[in-house]
Amino acid sequence: MGAYKYLEEIWRKKQSDALRFLLRVRAWEYRQGKKVQKVSRPTRTDKAHKLGYKAKQGYTVLRVAVRRGGRKRPNSKGIVFGKPKNQGINQLKFARNLRSVAEERAGIHAMNLRVLNSYWINQDATYKYFEVILVDPSHVAIRNDPRINWIVNPVHKHRERRGLTSAGKHHRGLRVKGHRANNTIGGSHRAAWKRRNTKTMRRYR
């Protein structure tokens, strides 16, 4: 086995003594740092390379801390002036996953870069920590590389805000295959519903 295979096995056994100790120490270290922090190299080298990272110019890795838990509705004094159906305040959940939130915050922090992908690195009682891989679309090393220069195209500006990254596709329900994916045929639940509920008439009939 190569070195990456061993790394992969270590990260798979998160309950092992070695990794439990490492994660605990690193969580303490991350808590002392900023919420969005540039790192010199990826913590999980094998995972980063699987997701498209290259150790060359034009690639950047940011560590992002996202607060765990649901999303409390921001109403003054917890009062909803509406129907009883909408009066919940506390037990509400955010529609997107925390990884996509981390990608969005990384994209806001580094506006000139494009978000490629992200992965989990740690968590404690308060935060989940993710590393986000970003690519510089104006760097000549990126523009000249045929494997990554697709991201230079303007349609990929802020992919993370439009649900086009892997985490974004996951929360849009596009990771499902087979008959369970019938409601997302055409790109999304809304696209499928709209197509099925729109009457189209031929001009000459």
Side-chain angles (χ1 to χ4, degrees):
M1 288 200 301
Y4 280 4
K5 266 291 179 208
Y6 284 109
L7 269 177
E8 188 184 314
E9 280 301 311
I10 290 170
W11 275 98
R12 195 171 282 159
K13 305 282 195 298
K14 293 183 178 65
Q15 289 288 328
S16 65
D17 288 350
L19 208 58
R20 281 174 66 183
F21 175 75
L22 258 182
L23 290 175
R24 195 166 77 241
V25 171
R26 282 177 180 165
W28 177 87
E29 185 189 344
Y30 297 162
R31 272 200 301 276
Q32 317 310 313
K34 297 175 183 174
K35 296 289 177 286
V36 181
Q37 177 91 42
K38 184 180 177 183
V39 293
S40 56
R41 60 177 65 85
T43 305
R44 300 175 64 180
T45 319
D46 58 323
K47 188 72 171 171
H49 279 273
K50 277 180 188 173
L51 298 178
Y53 173 79
K54 298 271 188 225
K56 69 175 199 174
Q57 290 181 334
Y59 285 85
T60 308
V61 179
L62 294 181
R63 184 177 66 239
V64 184
V66 183
R67 194 171 278 271
R68 296 176 67 178
R71 180 186 179 274
K72 187 177 179 181
R73 183 173 283 159
N75 285 27
S76 177
K77 298 180 181 175
I79 301 168
V80 178
F81 295 100
K83 293 186 169 67
K85 176 186 184 295
N86 299 319
Q87 280 177 347
I89 295 293
N90 281 324
Q91 296 185 6
L92 305 176
K93 314 293 182 285
F94 189 48
R96 284 167 30 213
N97 52 56
L98 295 182
R99 190 156 73 89
S100 74
V101 174
E103 289 178 351
E104 188 176 32
R105 289 183 187 171
I108 290 168
H109 182 83
M111 295 285 279
N112 59 324
L113 305 181
R114 306 267 161 91
V115 173
L116 180 62
N117 220 320
S118 62
Y119 52 92
W120 178 95
I121 50 166
N122 210 328
Q123 67 187 51
D124 56 25
T126 313
Y127 295 102
K128 280 198 177 190
Y129 301 96
F130 301 94
E131 277 183 354
V132 183
I133 304 165
L134 299 108
V135 178
D136 184 356
S138 55
H139 199 290
V140 69
I142 299 300
R143 297 177 83 89
N144 290 341
D145 186 349
R147 286 170 299 188
I148 192 64
N149 65 5
W150 56 268
I151 209 165
V152 172
N153 199 317
V155 297
H156 295 296
K157 288 179 181 178
H158 292 292
R159 309 167 66 231
E160 73 284 355
R161 294 198 195 176
R162 295 178 288 131
L164 302 181
T165 58
S166 182
K169 285 185 177 180
H170 186 274
H171 84 74
R172 285 166 60 199
L174 301 181
R175 286 279 174 265
V176 181
K177 301 291 183 189
H179 69 277
R180 295 182 305 148
N182 287 342
N183 288 330
T184 55
I185 291 172
S188 67
H189 288 282
R190 287 188 185 87
W193 179 89
K194 188 175 182 181
R195 191 181 66 254
R196 287 170 188 152
N197 287 273
T198 304
K199 186 71 176 171
T200 54
M201 301 285 195
R202 292 179 62 190
R203 188 174 178 191
Y204 300 108
R205 60 185 193 278

